[in-house]
Amino acid sequence: MATVAPTAAASRPLPVSLLIDSEITVLIPTDPDYVAREESYWSKTAKLSPACIVQPRSAEDVSKALKILVDAKERFAVRSGGHSPRSGANNIEGGVTIDLGLMDRNDFDEVTKTVTVGSGGRFKKVYQELAKHNVTVVGGREGNVGIGGFVLGGGYSWFTPRRGWACDSVVAYQVVLADGRIVTANKDNHSDLFRALKGGSNNFGIVTSFTMETVPCSQVWGGVRVAPKEAIPQVIDMTYNFTENLAKYPDSNIIVVIGYMPDLKGNVASIAVLDTQGVENGPAYEEWAKLPSIVDMVKPTTIFNMSIDMTLPPGYYDTWFTLSFKNDRRIMAKASEVHDSIVAELAAHVEDGDFLTQCILQPLPTLFAENSVAAGGNVLGLERNAGNCVLMQMNAMTRTPEQRAFVYPKLRAGVEAVRRYAAQLDALADWVYMNYADASQDVLASYGPDNVRKMRDVAARYDPQQVFQKLCPGGEKISNVSLGMI
């Protein structure tokens, strides 16, 4: 907890002083731990300068801090793992950042086969702990991803073809509401809130823990194979066929990354694969196995080890955009072409070539929505997709703010070019994945009018003073969605 001289305390904003007096751990800019927590954000775009960082250890601490902030009408942000690169989503300039990093419990229940995890934990620790029980959860594929933001945004997982999105595995949320009340939302209690949290982000309260179903799992088979640029047309064919046939092989999944890698001095196609049952070279991967490779790291492994192998490099200024469209080779080829153009422009601008770009393609078949409906439903709205789709993310990682300012409009224009092309083919899907989206993209509107109305009603019921719309400005806000946008 911060301790300061009286003169310094006298000049501090009232909410900060009240938080320090509340016996909750509070870090101020002169504290070494404050600097360490700001540096611990994965992306430099997320690093800001809050007036202080509050580090609660319990839901009761969160409630106490929230009451102080609401009474003072102080702006705040909520941080889980701090992996989102979106500026302002998990941090705030000049306000108060509620950092849930100390709330990282992992309590496995042998009877119910569920686990209760703290919102501030990271998936690599969850996987490591659950491995002792030969189970895992439907969670992030990158081990450093935080639990709270990932699950509240839906959560695409290796297990999604079999089990749905991460939010579909949640059986209970512990939530601190705007008035400080601590409630448990499940299918029997606060069921409207329970449903809205399955993709509705931070519009309704601060989720302090998630109780999730676990999945039997010990060994898996997976890893990354890198194919040369010349094989990209083959990779696109493979991605199309894999997506079309995924319902036959729901224990399999892939991530296709067409990307620029400085170490290889050019564009390549990296294909991450995983069979959750540990089956090596199963029938889902027959076409993948025929791809030429320059690197092959696929082997029997564990979910924990795979999450470490999938770790993305920190310390860049990151820019992300996303799009979804019908499963169509032509659109994937267009996306690859756009990516090539962005790489060429960045390579001419960044003299040392120290940057990374990715055009990520992932299956988004109707199977996923069917799994969600079978699990009880969410607010993502994917059941509106008429056919199998592909989820695309286009991103760039640059070393300086100037380089990010250079690439941002080019990425935005590139994704818009893919969107227009898909629309011309009558192959554009409405849905926008929250966890990949830029601030300019209308995520909640893409869930459809019925889900927008549900989220609005829930926000009005549980937060009538609009605390999470006005005082917590980061992330996707249901109050910003107009039904005319849909």
Side-chain angles (χ1 to χ4, degrees), residues 428-445:
L428 183 65
D430 293 333
W431 189 68
V432 179
Y433 182 32
M434 182 183 298
N435 292 354
Y436 289 172
D438 180 70
S440 65
Q441 300 189 275
D442 297 322
V443 173
L444 298 181

Side-chain angles (χ1 to χ4, degrees), residues 25 57 124 129 142 195 201 206 269 286 393 429 441:
T25 301
R57 296 176 180 272
K124 63 181 179 183
E129 289 298 313
E142 212 266 35
R195 177 69 173 260
S201 192
I206 300 176
E286 286 183 5
Q393 187 208 55
Q441 300 189 275

Side-chain angles (χ1 to χ4, degrees), residues 192-193 196 203-204 449-464 478:
D192 54 348
L193 177 60
N203 281 283
F204 319 106
D450 289 345
N451 286 318
V452 167
R453 289 188 189 96
K454 288 175 185 175
M455 289 185 286
R456 278 184 173 175
D457 290 346
V458 171
R461 178 178 179 185
Y462 291 92
D463 182 16
I478 191 63

Side-chain angles (χ1 to χ4, degrees), residues 79-81 100-104 117-122 146-148 207-208:
R79 172 184 179 174
S80 171
L100 303 178
L102 298 179
M103 300 177 66
D104 62 348
V117 292
S119 190
R122 296 172 188 259
I147 292 163
V207 177
T208 51

Side-chain angles (χ1 to χ4, degrees), residues 156 256 258 320-326 331-339 342 358-364 389-395 411-419 422 428-429 431-433 435-438 441:
Y156 192 129
V256 175
I258 298 169
W320 289 6
F321 285 88
T322 189
L323 195 66
S324 56
F325 45 79
K326 290 180 182 178
I331 306 172
M332 288 187 270
K334 177 68 173 179
S336 176
E337 174 190 312
V338 165
H339 172 263
I342 292 169
Q358 295 180 327
C359 173
I360 303 175
L361 304 169
Q362 299 174 79
L364 191 65
C389 293
V390 168
L391 172 62
M392 183 194 83
Q393 187 208 55
M394 197 90 74
N395 70 59
L411 263 179
R412 185 171 183 172
V415 172
E416 175 59 19
V418 178
R419 191 198 69 79
L428 183 65
W431 189 68
V432 179
Y433 182 32
N435 292 354
Y436 289 172
D438 180 70
Q441 300 189 275

Side-chain angles (χ1 to χ4, degrees), residues 212-223:
M212 303 180 72
E213 297 169 334
T214 60
V215 182
C217 184
S218 52
Q219 185 167 281
V220 299
W221 175 81

Side-chain angles (χ1 to χ4, degrees), residues 22 149 225 301 309 338 368 480:
S22 70
R225 172 177 287 181
T301 184
D309 292 342
V338 165
F368 292 4
N480 292 337

